[in-house]
């Protein structure tokens, strides 16, 4: 039996900071998964990153995606879950394709948009939902509360649909989601309820936070499912490993480009490299919310507030929640509010990581150029990723194997695509009937008293 990995809080060193009582203990994966965040509002990190020999990665050539997921997840979870249980979770979670589309020479787009809600968030949400079900107390219901501005809510909602012992309540801002996003959220049904709030995304997040700190709900087993949960980071290591194994020749390293907002996806690549995967460089382009590229260039961190509204709307983040993890991996500390307590090792960071801000103008030009030149269809997030890769290669010269991530399906952005290319992107199988679906969400005003009453009347405590 291998030794269990323990998880610590990124805030553990923060003595003498008003309002923070550093959490110096460590917890198991199960506890990190069910707690979501550390009690001092830091993020959980594994004490040690398991490494694998190069041969283990190379042996995944021609293997299924589930085989790669098993290799990575078992390295973290051995000792906490039975091997067959983990295998069953993975086989059930990953029942869709992961296309690697050639653009030119050995430059590829990895399409992470074939899951049920057509964004890469399906990969993490589906595995996390099943792990939560496996790790939760039998006989006691787990109540997941999520505030969403789009992709997270539908991915999480769909992932938990029909999962035993768990109920999900999703709050979204009525006026800030697209028509198709609203349909995706409202029509999940069963154990997943959508609450349409008359307010903004921040209001939804505040309602959820108030419920989490309300003593009346202490016995309700509330938990969150947003990207600060390590249970969502772990599955995001897998596709880097799998793609490298399929495309690498003789163990050569690859460059990955990961369009980033909260940097949870990019973190998956950083962990993959630290597990031993040959990653030449992690390129993590952003949209016009350029706080991270600016930090890498100048060494000064300044969040963008309020965040800028760009076409790649899932990346409109002015202070990324996963920055605390990225800093911690390079011996730095930044807190939830964006204050840097210890500057990370910048030389080391620059050796492994490159980041660049891509404007909306460059984003649309890239969508058009790549379609005209190669007949490869990108949506705004994927275009930021691809353009960032190009900028990096222009600086450094060519590297043969490069893989850029497409994080959403172009059909999620029909207006942008129609306007730029004059075509209507085909809906993926999972979204074929989306325009005909109709659901009726719970309608609430932005008022904690009303939300509280709604939860008291509707949450189930025991099975
Ligand atoms: C969430 C999201 C991103 C950003 O991912 P992070 O992990 O927050 O950096 C990029 N593209 C799409 C389509 C997303 O939904």
């Amino acid at each position: 039996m291998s030794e269990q990995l323990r998880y610590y809080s990124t805030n553990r060193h923060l003595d003498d900071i008003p309002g923070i009582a550093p959490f110096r203990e460590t917890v198991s994966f199960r506890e990190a998964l069910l707690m979501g965040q550390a009690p001092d509002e830091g993020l959980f990190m594994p004490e040690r990153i398991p490494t694998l020999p190069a041969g283990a990665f190379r042996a995944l050539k021609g293997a299924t995606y589930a085989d790669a997921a098993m290799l990575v997840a078992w390295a973290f979870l051995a000792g906490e879950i039975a091997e067959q249980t983990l295998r069953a979770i993975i086989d059930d979670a990953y029942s869709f394709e992961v296309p690697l589309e050639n653009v030119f020479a050995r430059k590829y787009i990895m399409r992470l948009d074939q899951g049920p809600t057509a964004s890469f968030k399906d990969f993490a949400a589906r595995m996390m939902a099943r792990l939560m079900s496996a790790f939760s107390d039998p006989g006691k219901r787990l109540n997941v509360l999520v505030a969403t501005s789009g992709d997270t809510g539908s991915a999480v909602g769909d992932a938990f649909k029909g999962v035993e012992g768990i109920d999900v309540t999703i709050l979204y801002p009525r006026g800030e989601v697209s028509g198709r996003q609203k349909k995706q959220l409202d029509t999940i049904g069963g154990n997943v309820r959508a609450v349409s709030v008359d307010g903004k995304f921040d209001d939804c997040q505040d309602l959820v936070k108030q419920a989490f700190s309300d003593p009346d709900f202490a016995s309700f087993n509330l938990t969150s499912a947003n990207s600060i949960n390590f249970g969502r980071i772990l599955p995001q290591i897998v596709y880097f490993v799998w793609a490298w194994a399929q495309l690498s020749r003789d163990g050569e390293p690859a460059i990955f480009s990961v369009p980033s907002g909260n940097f949870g996806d990019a973190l998956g690549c950083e962990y993959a490299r630290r597990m031993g995967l040959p990653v030449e460089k992690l390129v993590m382009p952003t949209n016009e919310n350029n706080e991270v590229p600016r930090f890498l260039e100048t060494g000064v961190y300044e969040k963008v507030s309020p965040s800028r509204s760009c076409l790649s709307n899932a990346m409109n983040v002015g202070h990324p929640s996963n920055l605390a993890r990225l800093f911690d991996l390079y011996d730095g500390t930044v807190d939830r509010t964006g204050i840097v307590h210890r500057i990370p090792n910048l030389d080391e960071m620059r050796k492994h990581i490159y980041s660049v801000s891509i404007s909306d103008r460059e984003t649309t030009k890239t969508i058009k150029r790549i379609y005209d030149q190669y007949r490869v269809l990108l949506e705004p997030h994927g275009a930021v990723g691809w353009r960032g890769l190009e900028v990096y290669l222009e600086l450094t010269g060519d590297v043969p194997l490069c893989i850029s991530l497409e994080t959403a399906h172009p059909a999620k952005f029909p207006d942008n695509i129609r306007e730029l290319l004059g075509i209507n992107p085909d809906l993926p199988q999972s979204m074929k009937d989306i325009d005909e679906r109709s659901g009726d969400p719970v309608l609430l005003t932005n008022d904690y008293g009303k939300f509280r009453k709604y939860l008291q009347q509707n949450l189930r405590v025991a099975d």
Side-chain angles (χ1 to χ4, degrees):
M1 196 81 162
S2 47
E3 207 181 316
Q4 256 189 30
L5 267 178
R6 304 287 297 175
Y7 294 77
Y8 65 80
S9 165
T10 51
N11 281 352
R12 70 202 176 290
H13 295 312
L14 295 185
D15 297 299
D16 307 323
I17 310 288
I20 298 181
F23 180 74
R24 293 208 187 76
E25 295 161 44
T26 60
V27 300
S28 64
F29 176 82
R30 175 182 185 274
E31 290 166 310
L33 177 74
L34 297 180
M35 289 163 81
Q37 201 171 5
D40 59 5
E41 300 192 338
L43 306 194
F44 284 122
M45 306 271 291
E47 268 189 334
R48 174 178 63 74
I49 298 169
T51 55
L52 294 168
F57 296 120
R58 290 170 77 160
L60 289 171
K61 196 176 188 75
T64 63
Y65 189 84
D67 290 334
M70 191 64 200
L71 180 78
V72 170
W74 185 246
F76 281 85
L77 300 183
E80 283 207 63
I81 191 170
E83 203 169 349
Q84 324 71 289
T85 310
L86 184 61
R87 183 74 211 201
I89 284 174
I90 285 171
D91 285 341
D92 191 47
Y94 299 118
S95 49
F96 47 87
E97 297 289 302
V98 186
L100 293 164
E101 185 174 339
N102 185 245
V103 184
F104 70 92
R106 294 182 63 229
K107 309 289 179 284
Y108 293 84
I109 297 287
M110 172 156 57
R111 293 202 182 267
L112 302 175
D113 59 0
Q114 303 294 301
T117 71
S119 92
F120 86 95
K121 291 193 170 71
D122 285 326
F123 284 79
R126 288 175 67 77
M127 185 146 155
M128 182 176 69
R130 286 157 180 80
L131 287 171
M132 276 190 172
S133 173
F135 279 118
S136 64
D137 292 325
K140 217 173 161 197
R141 293 199 81 76
L142 195 60
N143 279 295
V144 176
L145 293 188
V146 227
T148 181
S149 55
D151 288 339
T152 295
S154 49
V156 166
D158 191 276
F160 279 100
K161 184 165 92 183
V163 170
E164 246 172 78
I166 303 184
D167 289 333
V168 181
T169 306
I170 303 171
L171 283 77
Y172 68 84
R174 196 167 308 159
E176 290 184 4
V177 296
S178 74
R180 280 185 179 165
Q181 279 176 328
K182 182 174 155 45
K183 288 202 180 250
Q184 276 187 319
L185 291 164
D186 290 348
T187 57
I188 300 168
N191 59 330
V192 180
R193 276 162 301 190
V195 176
S196 165
V197 176
D198 189 9
K200 299 179 77 66
F201 170 64
D202 291 341
D203 299 323
C204 297
Q205 197 136 37
D206 282 346
L207 291 174
V208 167
K209 278 191 187 148
Q210 287 184 71
F212 279 127
S213 55
D214 189 332
D216 272 20
F217 293 124
S219 60
F220 275 73
N221 229 359
L222 295 185
T223 190
S224 87
N226 56 21
S227 77
I228 56 178
N229 195 313
F230 190 77
R232 274 187 55 185
I233 303 293
L234 174 58
Q236 292 176 175
I237 302 172
V238 177
Y239 32 78
F240 300 99
V241 168
W242 182 79
W244 179 86
Q246 308 320 309
L247 297 173
S248 172
R249 291 181 190 154
D250 305 321
E252 69 181 330
I255 291 182
F256 286 97
S257 185
V258 186
S260 293
N262 272 315
F263 290 82
D265 199 6
L267 207 60
C269 186
E270 177 70 22
Y271 278 117
R273 182 180 65 75
R274 287 168 187 254
M275 289 183 82
L277 192 76
V279 176
E280 162 104 12
K281 198 89 176 184
L282 163 58
V283 179
M284 28 186 232
T286 66
N287 59 25
E288 292 168 28
N289 292 282
N290 60 355
E291 63 280 358
V292 170
R294 239 180 7 195
F295 169 73
L296 281 172
E297 203 176 306
T298 64
V300 179
Y301 181 70
E302 243 180 301
K303 58 185 176 183
V304 173
S305 176
S307 58
R308 298 175 186 135
S309 294
C310 299
L311 293 172
S312 47
N313 57 8
M315 311 197 307
N316 292 338
V317 182
H319 172 49
S321 54
N322 274 299
L323 196 66
R325 285 200 173 101
L326 205 57
F327 269 42
D328 194 275
L329 285 171
Y330 288 93
D331 300 320
T333 308
V334 59
D335 69 24
R336 186 173 54 83
T337 64
I339 297 171
V340 177
H341 298 276
R342 196 162 42 144
I343 299 200
N345 184 334
L346 271 166
D347 290 341
E348 268 303 296
M349 273 185 135
R350 289 171 180 147
K351 198 165 113 194
H352 299 292
I353 292 173
Y354 174 74
S355 186
V356 58
S357 167
I358 304 298
S359 68
D360 271 358
R361 210 176 100 82
E362 283 178 283
T363 304
T364 51
K365 274 170 65 180
T366 303
I367 293 176
K368 183 143 179 46
R369 180 166 49 82
I370 298 307
Y371 186 75
D372 288 346
Q373 210 169 340
Y374 305 109
R375 283 291 180 268
V376 169
L377 187 57
L378 298 175
E379 54 67 61
H381 304 81
V384 167
W386 181 265
R387 181 62 198 146
L389 174 64
E390 288 179 340
V391 172
Y392 179 72
L393 293 177
E394 282 159 17
L395 280 174
T396 61
D398 192 39
V399 170
L401 180 58
C402 299
I403 303 161
S404 187
L405 274 52
E406 177 50 288
T407 48
H409 195 284
K412 285 191 132 176
F413 300 86
D415 300 341
N416 296 137
I417 304 292
R418 210 175 302 125
E419 191 184 318
L420 284 165
L421 309 177
I423 58 167
N424 259 324
D426 283 337
L427 282 164
Q429 197 55 41
S430 61
M431 287 176 67
K432 280 265 191 282
D433 65 340
I434 185 88
D435 294 328
E436 281 80 56
R437 288 185 217 166
S438 72
D440 54 320
V442 178
L443 301 176
L444 285 182
T445 54
N446 171 28
D447 174 76
Y448 182 62
K450 297 237 170 65
F451 179 53
R452 185 166 195 272
K453 197 158 167 208
Y454 169 78
L455 290 180
Q456 280 167 336
Q457 287 170 348
N458 289 279
L459 293 189
R460 291 183 286 178
V461 183
D463 269 326

mmCIF file of all heavy atoms in Angstrom, residues 119-121 151-152 227 236 259-266 314-315 379 381 407-408, ligand 1:
data_model
loop_
_atom_site.group_PDB
_atom_site.id
_atom_site.type_symbol
_atom_site.label_atom_id
_atom_site.label_comp_id
_atom_site.label_asym_id
_atom_site.label_seq_id
_atom_site.Cartn_x
_atom_site.Cartn_y
_atom_site.Cartn_z
ATOM 1 N N SER A 119 -17.492 22.144 -23.400
ATOM 2 C CA SER A 119 -16.292 22.897 -23.019
ATOM 3 C C SER A 119 -15.353 21.957 -22.269
ATOM 4 O O SER A 119 -15.768 20.886 -21.812
ATOM 5 C CB SER A 119 -16.620 24.119 -22.160
ATOM 6 O OG SER A 119 -16.580 23.807 -20.781
ATOM 7 N N PHE A 120 -14.086 22.377 -22.115
ATOM 8 C CA PHE A 120 -13.120 21.488 -21.459
ATOM 9 C C PHE A 120 -13.482 21.258 -19.990
ATOM 10 O O PHE A 120 -12.983 20.334 -19.363
ATOM 11 C CB PHE A 120 -11.700 22.069 -21.567
ATOM 12 C CG PHE A 120 -11.355 23.053 -20.472
ATOM 13 C CD1 PHE A 120 -10.677 22.633 -19.339
ATOM 14 C CD2 PHE A 120 -11.734 24.376 -20.559
ATOM 15 C CE1 PHE A 120 -10.362 23.524 -18.322
ATOM 16 C CE2 PHE A 120 -11.436 25.276 -19.544
ATOM 17 C CZ PHE A 120 -10.752 24.850 -18.421
ATOM 18 N N LYS A 121 -14.374 22.092 -19.461
ATOM 19 C CA LYS A 121 -14.748 21.940 -18.055
ATOM 20 C C LYS A 121 -15.456 20.606 -17.793
ATOM 21 O O LYS A 121 -15.498 20.155 -16.652
ATOM 22 C CB LYS A 121 -15.578 23.130 -17.603
ATOM 23 C CG LYS A 121 -14.731 24.401 -17.549
ATOM 24 C CD LYS A 121 -15.395 25.536 -16.827
ATOM 25 C CE LYS A 121 -14.434 26.685 -16.590
ATOM 26 N NZ LYS A 121 -14.076 27.411 -17.834
ATOM 27 N N ASP A 151 -19.958 28.533 -18.474
ATOM 28 C CA ASP A 151 -19.519 27.158 -18.720
ATOM 29 C C ASP A 151 -19.411 26.280 -17.470
ATOM 30 O O ASP A 151 -19.725 25.092 -17.516
ATOM 31 C CB ASP A 151 -18.156 27.150 -19.415
ATOM 32 C CG ASP A 151 -18.256 27.608 -20.862
ATOM 33 O OD1 ASP A 151 -19.363 27.534 -21.427
ATOM 34 O OD2 ASP A 151 -17.235 28.046 -21.417
ATOM 35 N N THR A 152 -18.955 26.849 -16.357
ATOM 36 C CA THR A 152 -18.781 26.018 -15.164
ATOM 37 C C THR A 152 -20.104 25.417 -14.717
ATOM 38 O O THR A 152 -20.193 24.228 -14.445
ATOM 39 C CB THR A 152 -18.191 26.848 -14.003
ATOM 40 O OG1 THR A 152 -16.896 27.257 -14.380
ATOM 41 C CG2 THR A 152 -18.077 26.021 -12.748
ATOM 42 N N SER A 227 -13.441 26.078 -9.330
ATOM 43 C CA SER A 227 -12.122 25.589 -9.758
ATOM 44 C C SER A 227 -11.051 25.726 -8.683
ATOM 45 O O SER A 227 -9.892 25.394 -8.909
ATOM 46 C CB SER A 227 -11.681 26.274 -11.045
ATOM 47 O OG SER A 227 -11.226 27.581 -10.771
ATOM 48 N N GLN A 236 -7.369 17.588 -14.891
ATOM 49 C CA GLN A 236 -6.850 18.439 -15.961
ATOM 50 C C GLN A 236 -5.369 18.181 -16.244
ATOM 51 O O GLN A 236 -4.795 18.808 -17.131
ATOM 52 C CB GLN A 236 -7.117 19.916 -15.615
ATOM 53 C CG GLN A 236 -8.617 20.197 -15.673
ATOM 54 C CD GLN A 236 -9.044 21.591 -15.259
ATOM 55 O OE1 GLN A 236 -10.218 21.908 -15.372
ATOM 56 N NE2 GLN A 236 -8.143 22.421 -14.787
ATOM 57 N N PRO A 259 -5.101 28.518 -23.346
ATOM 58 C CA PRO A 259 -5.756 29.811 -23.135
ATOM 59 C C PRO A 259 -6.280 29.894 -21.708
ATOM 60 O O PRO A 259 -6.962 28.976 -21.253
ATOM 61 C CB PRO A 259 -6.903 29.809 -24.154
ATOM 62 C CG PRO A 259 -7.152 28.367 -24.471
ATOM 63 C CD PRO A 259 -5.826 27.670 -24.318
ATOM 64 N N SER A 260 -5.970 30.986 -20.991
ATOM 65 C CA SER A 260 -6.159 30.969 -19.541
ATOM 66 C C SER A 260 -6.949 32.143 -18.985
ATOM 67 O O SER A 260 -6.855 33.270 -19.470
ATOM 68 C CB SER A 260 -4.789 30.933 -18.862
ATOM 69 O OG SER A 260 -4.156 29.694 -19.145
ATOM 70 N N GLY A 261 -7.721 31.834 -17.921
ATOM 71 C CA GLY A 261 -8.473 32.843 -17.184
ATOM 72 C C GLY A 261 -8.179 32.724 -15.697
ATOM 73 O O GLY A 261 -7.517 33.566 -15.102
ATOM 74 N N ASN A 262 -8.643 31.626 -15.103
ATOM 75 C CA ASN A 262 -8.308 31.359 -13.701
ATOM 76 C C ASN A 262 -7.069 30.471 -13.557
ATOM 77 O O ASN A 262 -6.668 30.132 -12.451
ATOM 78 C CB ASN A 262 -9.496 30.720 -12.977
ATOM 79 C CG ASN A 262 -10.430 31.779 -12.396
ATOM 80 O OD1 ASN A 262 -9.976 32.747 -11.791
ATOM 81 N ND2 ASN A 262 -11.729 31.600 -12.593
ATOM 82 N N PHE A 263 -6.501 30.027 -14.657
ATOM 83 C CA PHE A 263 -5.249 29.260 -14.706
ATOM 84 C C PHE A 263 -5.324 27.873 -14.081
ATOM 85 O O PHE A 263 -4.295 27.286 -13.751
ATOM 86 C CB PHE A 263 -4.083 30.078 -14.105
ATOM 87 C CG PHE A 263 -3.705 31.237 -14.987
ATOM 88 C CD1 PHE A 263 -4.426 32.429 -14.938
ATOM 89 C CD2 PHE A 263 -2.672 31.123 -15.904
ATOM 90 C CE1 PHE A 263 -4.126 33.487 -15.788
ATOM 91 C CE2 PHE A 263 -2.355 32.179 -16.754
ATOM 92 C CZ PHE A 263 -3.082 33.360 -16.686
ATOM 93 N N GLY A 264 -6.538 27.315 -13.972
ATOM 94 C CA GLY A 264 -6.663 25.944 -13.493
ATOM 95 C C GLY A 264 -6.227 24.956 -14.573
ATOM 96 O O GLY A 264 -5.585 23.941 -14.284
ATOM 97 N N ASP A 265 -6.582 25.258 -15.819
ATOM 98 C CA ASP A 265 -6.244 24.389 -16.937
ATOM 99 C C ASP A 265 -4.717 24.360 -17.129
ATOM 100 O O ASP A 265 -4.104 23.291 -17.219
ATOM 101 C CB ASP A 265 -6.946 24.936 -18.186
ATOM 102 C CG ASP A 265 -7.079 23.921 -19.292
ATOM 103 O OD1 ASP A 265 -6.731 22.751 -19.069
ATOM 104 O OD2 ASP A 265 -7.535 24.303 -20.389
ATOM 105 N N ALA A 266 -4.100 25.554 -17.152
ATOM 106 C CA ALA A 266 -2.643 25.649 -17.310
ATOM 107 C C ALA A 266 -1.913 24.929 -16.171
ATOM 108 O O ALA A 266 -0.877 24.299 -16.375
ATOM 109 C CB ALA A 266 -2.210 27.111 -17.359
ATOM 110 N N ALA A 314 -15.146 33.448 -21.033
ATOM 111 C CA ALA A 314 -14.843 32.574 -19.884
ATOM 112 C C ALA A 314 -13.457 32.894 -19.309
ATOM 113 O O ALA A 314 -13.058 32.309 -18.304
ATOM 114 C CB ALA A 314 -14.920 31.109 -20.298
ATOM 115 N N MET A 315 -12.729 33.788 -19.937
ATOM 116 C CA MET A 315 -11.397 34.163 -19.442
ATOM 117 C C MET A 315 -11.357 35.621 -18.995
ATOM 118 O O MET A 315 -10.276 36.188 -18.856
ATOM 119 C CB MET A 315 -10.337 33.913 -20.523
ATOM 120 C CG MET A 315 -10.446 32.523 -21.131
ATOM 121 S SD MET A 315 -8.999 31.947 -22.036
ATOM 122 C CE MET A 315 -8.709 33.279 -23.173
ATOM 123 N N GLU A 379 -12.859 28.915 -31.993
ATOM 124 C CA GLU A 379 -13.720 29.934 -31.366
ATOM 125 C C GLU A 379 -12.791 30.872 -30.576
ATOM 126 O O GLU A 379 -11.577 30.638 -30.551
ATOM 127 C CB GLU A 379 -14.855 29.282 -30.557
ATOM 128 C CG GLU A 379 -14.453 28.264 -29.502
ATOM 129 C CD GLU A 379 -13.709 28.907 -28.369
ATOM 130 O OE1 GLU A 379 -14.297 29.789 -27.709
ATOM 131 O OE2 GLU A 379 -12.533 28.548 -28.143
ATOM 132 N N HIS A 381 -11.753 31.481 -27.497
ATOM 133 C CA HIS A 381 -10.776 31.010 -26.502
ATOM 134 C C HIS A 381 -9.626 30.254 -27.169
ATOM 135 O O HIS A 381 -8.459 30.494 -26.882
ATOM 136 C CB HIS A 381 -11.450 30.107 -25.457
ATOM 137 C CG HIS A 381 -12.607 30.766 -24.766
ATOM 138 N ND1 HIS A 381 -13.858 30.822 -25.339
ATOM 139 C CD2 HIS A 381 -12.694 31.418 -23.590
ATOM 140 C CE1 HIS A 381 -14.669 31.476 -24.525
ATOM 141 N NE2 HIS A 381 -14.000 31.857 -23.450
ATOM 142 N N THR A 407 -10.754 25.048 -26.112
ATOM 143 C CA THR A 407 -11.426 24.753 -24.849
ATOM 144 C C THR A 407 -12.950 24.780 -24.926
ATOM 145 O O THR A 407 -13.616 24.422 -23.962
ATOM 146 C CB THR A 407 -10.963 25.760 -23.775
ATOM 147 O OG1 THR A 407 -11.034 27.077 -24.320
ATOM 148 C CG2 THR A 407 -9.540 25.463 -23.334
ATOM 149 N N ALA A 408 -13.503 25.257 -26.040
ATOM 150 C CA ALA A 408 -14.969 25.239 -26.189
ATOM 151 C C ALA A 408 -15.310 24.929 -27.635
ATOM 152 O O ALA A 408 -14.474 25.092 -28.538
ATOM 153 C CB ALA A 408 -15.575 26.584 -25.797
HETATM 154 C C1 LIG B 1 -13.044 28.290 -18.103
HETATM 155 C C2 LIG B 1 -12.611 28.427 -19.506
HETATM 156 C C3 LIG B 1 -11.284 28.815 -19.863
HETATM 157 C C4 LIG B 1 -10.255 29.231 -18.833
HETATM 158 O O1 LIG B 1 -9.824 28.156 -18.067
HETATM 159 P P1 LIG B 1 -9.036 28.471 -16.700
HETATM 160 O O2 LIG B 1 -8.797 27.143 -16.084
HETATM 161 O O3 LIG B 1 -9.987 29.317 -15.872
HETATM 162 O O4 LIG B 1 -7.798 29.203 -17.045
HETATM 163 C C5 LIG B 1 -10.931 28.849 -21.201
HETATM 164 N N1 LIG B 1 -11.833 28.534 -22.159
HETATM 165 C C6 LIG B 1 -13.100 28.180 -21.870
HETATM 166 C C7 LIG B 1 -14.023 27.873 -22.985
HETATM 167 C C8 LIG B 1 -13.547 28.097 -20.542
HETATM 168 O O5 LIG B 1 -14.802 27.738 -20.281
#
